[in-house]
Amino acid sequence: MPQQKSGIISSLQNSGHHVAMVGDGINDAPSLALADVGIALQIEGQENAASNAASIILLGNRLSQVVEAIDLSRATMGKVRQNLTWAVAYNVFAIPMAAGMLLPHFDFAMTPSLSGGMMALSSIFVVTNSLLLQFHGHQRKREKSIADN
């Protein structure tokens, strides 16, 4: 029953757990909304109350998609951390250089166009690193097929 599902989710959250709820029907909507992460399985491409209440909508009727979605979300957060680390490290060095830190010691000053080019290079690196996520699923399938053989 919907009330029982919501009660279980609330008790788990009250005891300090993070809760994900997977559902596909109208009776799952309150629980999906209450959970920290609501995952709706959208069957036959129809929108319903479950897909309106969920934070994630999986197009299909396979529970294995939940595992794939969690795996992809972890990979995405890894890329976010990589990009933030890169951007902070890059700016720790690039901003002082652009401000003229090298001028007194090496008689080198960056022109505004060179500084702008360096910032564009940083953006290109971050975007390229993010685009590598599209190979994430292919890499997992290849690793699995190698392990199966």
Side-chain angles (χ1 to χ4, degrees):
M1 298 300 293
Q3 296 83 3
Q4 292 170 325
K5 293 175 188 177
S6 296
I8 291 171
I9 290 172
S10 294
S11 67
L12 287 170
Q13 288 174 328
N14 290 338
S15 63
H17 295 283
H18 295 285
V19 179
M21 167 70 184
V22 179
D24 63 355
I26 193 164
N27 64 342
D28 295 323
S31 301
L32 290 169
L34 182 61
D36 296 311
V37 178
I39 303 172
L41 297 175
Q42 191 175 35
I43 301 171
E44 299 173 9
Q46 297 178 357
E47 251 190 67
N48 56 32
S51 59
N52 289 336
S55 353
I56 300 172
I57 301 170
L58 300 177
L59 303 176
N61 194 14
R62 295 187 339 256
L63 281 176
S64 63
Q65 288 178 304
V66 174
V67 176
E68 293 168 8
I70 292 170
D71 187 44
L72 181 59
S73 70
R74 287 183 177 149
T76 301
M77 288 308 300
K79 285 295 179 192
V80 168
R81 287 185 203 95
Q82 286 174 5
N83 289 339
L84 282 173
T85 302
W86 162 256
V88 168
Y90 186 83
N91 285 323
V92 162
F93 292 105
I95 290 174
M97 281 179 31
M101 182 182 84
L102 299 177
L103 185 61
H105 302 294
F106 300 102
D107 197 32
F108 175 76
M110 294 177 62
T111 63
S113 59
L114 181 60
S115 299
M118 286 182 63
M119 288 308 297
L121 183 66
S122 174
S123 297
I124 289 169
F125 178 83
V126 167
V127 169
T128 303
N129 189 37
S130 299
L131 287 174
L132 291 175
L133 271 175
Q134 58 187 324
F135 300 116
H136 177 74
H138 301 295
Q139 179 182 359
R140 289 281 190 213
K141 288 177 186 173
R142 191 173 343 118
E143 289 172 359
K144 185 178 179 184
S145 67
I146 291 171
D148 291 342
N149 292 330

